Amino acid sequence: MERSTRVSVFESDKQAEIQLIKSKLDDAQITNAIENNYLTFTTTPTATSLKVMVKLEDEKKAFEVIDAYLQQNEN
């Protein structure tokens, strides 16, 4: 069984934003997963940070998809 390294390509505390990025990556046929991590130190204990994770070999393509989306919605 081959185990692949996963890396974070997008982080947010907004569920809707995470789902949108996940959808864009799904459309580009990039396998991804959402991880939920509790934030610490300066945040409240209930605050969470959501991360979109992809395989290391898909990282560059994922960043291209995310960058295109962010640039499109900047205007």
Side-chain angles (χ1 to χ4, degrees):
M1 183 167 88
E2 186 179 320
R3 186 172 163 89
S4 62
T5 302
R6 295 189 319 151
V7 294
S8 173
V9 291
F10 190 79
E11 294 183 33
S12 178
D13 58 356
K14 297 180 182 102
Q15 179 76 31
E17 193 173 41
I18 289 290
Q19 288 297 334
L20 209 88
I21 295 296
K22 180 173 179 21
S23 174
K24 295 286 181 191
L25 294 175
D26 287 342
D27 291 348
Q29 297 172 346
I30 299 171
T31 304
N32 62 84
I34 296 174
E35 283 190 6
N36 187 357
N37 296 326
Y38 286 102
L39 298 176
T40 56
F41 298 109
T42 58
T43 60
T44 60
T46 56
T48 58
S49 173
L50 300 167
K51 295 181 180 182
V52 179
M53 308 291 289
V54 300
K55 292 179 183 173
L56 183 60
E57 57 267 23
D58 292 334
E59 181 182 30
K60 184 174 188 255
K61 187 176 174 188
F63 277 130
E64 290 170 0
V65 170
I66 293 166
D67 285 346
Y69 164 74
L70 292 174
Q71 286 177 8
Q72 176 185 0
N73 290 315
E74 223 173 49
N75 303 329

